[in-house]
Amino acid sequence: MKNIRLISLNLFLVSAVVLCFEIIATRISSVIFVNDYAFMILSLAILGLSCGSIFAYYRLNTSDKDKLIPVLRNIQLGLAGSLGVFIVAVTSFSFITNHLVYFFLLVIPFFLAGLFYAKVFETYAAESFTVYAADLAGAAIGSVAAILAISALGPVNGVLLLAALIICSALSLVGSKWPKAAVTGLFVLAIAGGGWIIFSGHNTFMDRIPIGDFPEKDFHHTYPDQFTQSIITDSRWSVYGRADLVEYSHQNVVRHLFVDGAAGTQMLRFNGNLSEQDPVLSNLLLESSSFIPYVLLKPEEKDNMLVIGPGGGKEVLGGLVTGVRQITGVEINPDFVEIVKDQRAFNGGIYTDFPNVEILVGEGRQYVKQKPQLFDVLVMALPSTQQLQSIDNYALSENFLLTVEAIRDYMDILTPEGQMIFTVHNPWELKRLIATAMTAFGERGVEPNELLNHMIIFETDYAPTVVIKKQPYSTQDLQGVMQTLSRLRENAPQVTYVPDQWRSLPNTTVNDFLQDIRTGRSGLQTVVENQQYDVTPVYDDSPYFYKIEPGIPEMFNKLFFAILAAGLLIIALPFMSISKKLVKSQKRYIQKVLLLFTAIGIGFMVIEITLFQKLVLYLGSPTISLSILLSSLLIGMGVGSLTGKKIYRDRIETRILVVSGLVVIAGVFVILLYPYLLEKLLIFDVIVRATTAFILLLPFGYLLGILFPSFIQLLEKAEMEEYVPWMYGVNGAMSVLGSVLAVMLSMIFGYTPAFLIGLGFYLLVLLLMFLKRDEG
């Protein structure tokens, strides 16, 4: 009993550290690499858990509980060392930006964790429900601790603290052969080191994590001049990424804010005096396609403006200098808001010194869904980080800002004369946005060719802008627009599309697209399908606005088949080696158990990732959604693991049959009923909504937590505990496969169908147990 308690405590700590490290590694990877590389590296690195389990199956044949203790201790010490080596390499050596080197260093901690898990579950198969509960409880704590660690310590100190915790855990397994004084001294040193790290906060003796030199990293390419020096003067970490304020050696007019080295947003020098504007500032604004629509606003259209994602404040400043009477900004990244406020001396206090400006920290779409008031103007400029946002490695919250449902929500908060101003990155994104808007307006009875009378476009190679009015432009409106544009200086962005001016419009790629829609020779769907890039309308259930390739991106196809091949090897090679010594009935039994572990590995990850994305819309923050989802599911699963053994205590297969059926039924309720309930709760505070979501997901988590230890019981019942490491490796590999599959399915079908497909794997478990049930 003493051993199982000690082992459970160590398993708890290892699980907490590993999941916490996984989330922190996501943030680190997002700074160094672009989305595709980071997603691929992390997915393959997490596969290290399975590789460690398979290695344990072949090489660590330690089933004696007393002999296991020093093995687990050494594994933990190795895990602590690998975390230290990883973070030192990340901050100290330039070669870390090589994806192969980075992957090698990242996979080692997961490999060692896989060794640890495999040996614990094998040796304590009879207590599988207890150890699995410890595993889940640790993971639940780790998911929350990661958010706290990143915010309070930053990734560097966060990883160092994890290493210190693992050292303390390992020392608890030191036997009597170690001198007591030495063990006590090491323990005190580890505790002292951890305390020093906590006290230091974000201050670290190590260098800053480097930003990889990729074309998508704006930090390196905003001023691609070898004589211009970019200087990071303020750097802050949060779960949204690393926010850097950058100044430049050749000018002090524009500063940039970056998230993970990308998604640059400008902060302009402003003296705070609206009546005496700096000519340099005026020229900069007039060179921006996103600013010209403000100049076109009529006095009655300037009562109030909503800016979603104001970033460095350029759009807010544009509204101020053009006389908008009330400006509300909703920014998801709190670090951006605080940095802009701290830079009051440079930016004129645009977030602090103007009573008609209110900046809120929150998710823009969530704010709009609460329908706080009506606005004359809604502005959104370059709403994308295209960086990893969370544990699932592919949570781009900004994608929900540019869907059909989002456009509908925006129309609902516009005054009758209201208009939306969108600035995107390039012409193909502009086409997709127009197609999405046409679909949204179509649901309100406006045909695609009719929406052409609602738009004005400034098409540029970078940052094109479209203005979409709620009502069509009148002849008088257009006359006023053209007169105002004619008075602008020559180097101001030129309008490339206005209604009813087809003969004088320039020949551009977007105008060709609009002309095809105008002629009506084919429907909108046919027009978008004939485009070189994917410009199909985007919906909340599949919000991949920035997915440029039609269908599934090639990277995901390659990654999927690579992980599938690895998973098949993990299944096939051990099976071929043991099949020679098994009788036919034993082979069939192993095959059934393999299918069970495979099914819940894939199914659970598909369910988890799709649920996470669905929750973002209702809770308004990826951070809150991640915390609620993981803590609720993992706590529920932990309780299920602790108590689930009592369900049909001596009839394991009946228990699996019943519980898998209940998982399918509960899952249908979760995906179909819960969104409706959460939608009704949008009028309440986020605490009420988060608490409700947490409570609603607990029963589902409870059911999910019963199956894994029940499968281990099947092996123990058949006296096949030696195969537990193998099965753990299979389950881990299939979980990684499931995470990639979830993204691919949601791209093709949407999150709701993907979730139901995930439930289908639990239905497969039910069918397997029904067809091959064994009550003996």
Side-chain angles (χ1 to χ4, degrees), residues 394 432 528-529 531-536 542 544-557 743-749:
Y394 209 73
R432 178 165 235 172
V528 299
E529 287 176 352
Q531 300 299 307
Q532 179 182 1
Y533 301 113
D534 189 353
V535 299
T536 53
S542 184
Y544 297 101
F545 185 88
Y546 300 104
K547 181 177 71 69
I548 187 171
E549 300 176 42
I552 301 297
E554 185 64 24
M555 184 275 289
F556 282 95
N557 286 323
V743 176
M744 296 174 70
L745 290 173
S746 62
M747 286 180 176
I748 301 173
F749 305 112

Side-chain angles (χ1 to χ4, degrees), residues 41-58:
I41 290 169
L42 279 162
S43 297
L44 293 175
I46 296 170
L47 198 60
L49 288 168
S50 297
C51 296
S53 301
I54 297 302
F55 183 86
Y57 170 71
Y58 279 111

Side-chain angles (χ1 to χ4, degrees), residues 474-487 501:
S474 66
T475 302
Q476 186 178 2
D477 289 337
L478 293 175
Q479 288 175 349
V481 166
M482 299 309 293
Q483 288 175 3
T484 302
L485 291 173
S486 66
R487 292 195 295 267
Q501 300 287 326

